[in-house]
Amino acid sequence: MEKNAAVVSLAHARKSFGKNEVLKDISLTVEQGDVLAIIGPSGGGKSTLLRCLTLLETLDAGDLSYGDLCVASTNDKGEAVYGGKDVIRQAKTRYGLVFQDFNLFPHYTVLKNVTDPLVTVLGMDKREAEERGRNLLAKMGLTGKEDQVPCDLSGGQQQRVAIARALAMNPDVLFFDEPTSALDPELTREVLKVIRELAAEHMTMVIVTHEMSFARDVADQLIFMDGGCVVESGRAQDVITAPKHERTKAFLSNYR
């Protein structure tokens, strides 16, 4: 995919749970090689936005595309209509998702956690899958851990396994939902180092985070969300060092 090509596009997204409107007319575009950070207070809609982008929740209204693949579009009644099973299956191969609580299979080895989707979803030969898995685990600094199970690892190591698993599918974009929120400061540094390295390799990423200095230094673009709305957006460094909106200023003052 060429630089400046849109990897994921979302337009006029709306999502409610009962009478609670959680996403209110959200639009964003992430281009090839860009890192987008999403910040904001708890309950502001960040995780719901990520869940809608990764098809864990369905939009009530809005248009969602992965590259040239239209996943959902708004009909003349203003409702989001999703593509069929083939479209959804194809969309799910275009992104990887890293959860805050790792979501590893506890009874699988580290290597099997990484390779299982390659074999079961992509139909890859087991030997080829294991070679890819070992290479990715080495990239994550986990050589020698392949035959252990997740409970034998630290939280930081488990999160690096989760990142390796997401990368194994060779996605166009990686989504991270507060990837360090369950980790202590030392383990947080471990995981952020890996994400910094991926950014340096121009991996397209969308990261929900509370790590403001990391967002400032690593992200290209940044969105500040509150109350289900995008309050402010722009270059990450600009928004964090010189926010324009009072609500953004108030939120960021808690991190200085």
Side-chain angles (χ1 to χ4, degrees):
M1 190 179 288
E2 55 190 79
K3 179 73 176 163
N4 300 326
V7 175
V8 56
S9 302
L10 182 70
H12 306 298
R14 294 185 179 278
K15 176 66 179 177
S16 297
F17 296 106
K19 293 183 178 178
N20 182 22
E21 192 175 16
V22 183
L23 299 180
K24 304 171 183 176
D25 196 21
I26 304 284
S27 297
L28 61 85
T29 300
V30 186
E31 295 183 346
Q32 172 69 19
D34 272 0
V35 178
L36 170 67
I38 303 174
I39 64 170
S42 297
K46 306 183 303 297
S47 289
T48 299
L49 172 59
L50 214 64
R51 289 178 66 81
C52 288
L53 287 168
T54 56
L55 309 181
L56 294 172
E57 300 282 357
T58 54
L59 295 166
D60 297 331
D63 303 326
L64 172 62
S65 297
Y66 277 94
D68 58 357
L69 183 70
C70 177
V71 179
S73 56
T74 304
N75 65 12
D76 52 12
K77 295 179 183 175
E79 303 162 333
V81 177
Y82 282 76
K85 286 181 181 176
D86 286 348
V87 169
I88 301 302
R89 191 180 304 118
Q90 199 177 340
K92 287 181 177 180
T93 67
R94 298 200 179 190
Y95 62 81
L97 175 59
V98 178
F99 299 88
Q100 54 185 280
D101 55 0
F102 324 135
N103 263 39
L104 300 174
F105 291 109
H107 55 293
Y108 283 5
T109 65
V110 164
L111 183 61
K112 186 169 171 59
N113 264 286
V114 175
T115 60
D116 192 62
L118 297 177
V119 176
T120 58
V121 178
L122 298 187
M124 187 180 284
D125 174 75
K126 187 178 177 185
R127 190 175 300 172
E128 185 184 349
E130 288 190 353
E131 183 180 357
R132 183 184 292 189
R134 289 181 190 280
N135 289 339
L136 282 167
L137 289 168
K139 183 185 175 86
M140 296 294 123
L142 294 169
T143 299
K145 305 291 186 186
E146 296 89 350
D147 296 327
Q148 294 186 332
V149 290
C151 67
D152 293 332
L153 306 182
S154 72
Q157 289 170 333
Q158 290 186 60
Q159 193 59 295
R160 283 183 278 151
V161 174
I163 295 170
R165 178 181 60 186
L167 284 169
M169 300 290 281
N170 200 24
D172 294 335
V173 57
L174 270 187
F175 292 98
F176 294 85
D177 187 6
E178 297 188 17
T180 60
S181 66
L183 305 176
D184 66 32
E186 186 176 1
L187 298 179
T188 291
R189 283 193 294 274
E190 265 181 37
V191 172
L192 294 183
K193 179 174 179 283
V194 168
I195 299 174
R196 285 176 192 271
E197 289 167 356
L198 291 173
E201 295 170 7
H202 306 294
M203 181 73 210
T204 311
M205 293 183 281
V206 176
I207 306 169
V208 172
T209 184
H210 286 295
E211 301 288 337
M212 296 304 141
S213 58
F214 168 77
R216 178 195 64 212
D217 296 342
V218 175
D220 301 291
Q221 301 294 317
L222 183 139
I223 286 173
F224 170 64
M225 286 185 70
D226 189 23
C229 300
V230 174
V231 176
E232 188 164 353
S233 64
R235 285 183 63 239
Q237 199 157 10
D238 294 345
V239 175
I240 288 182
T241 57
K244 292 185 172 67
H245 291 259
E246 291 304 318
R247 181 67 189 94
T248 318
K249 291 176 185 175
F251 175 77
L252 289 171
S253 69
N254 296 316
Y255 290 89
R256 290 179 183 145

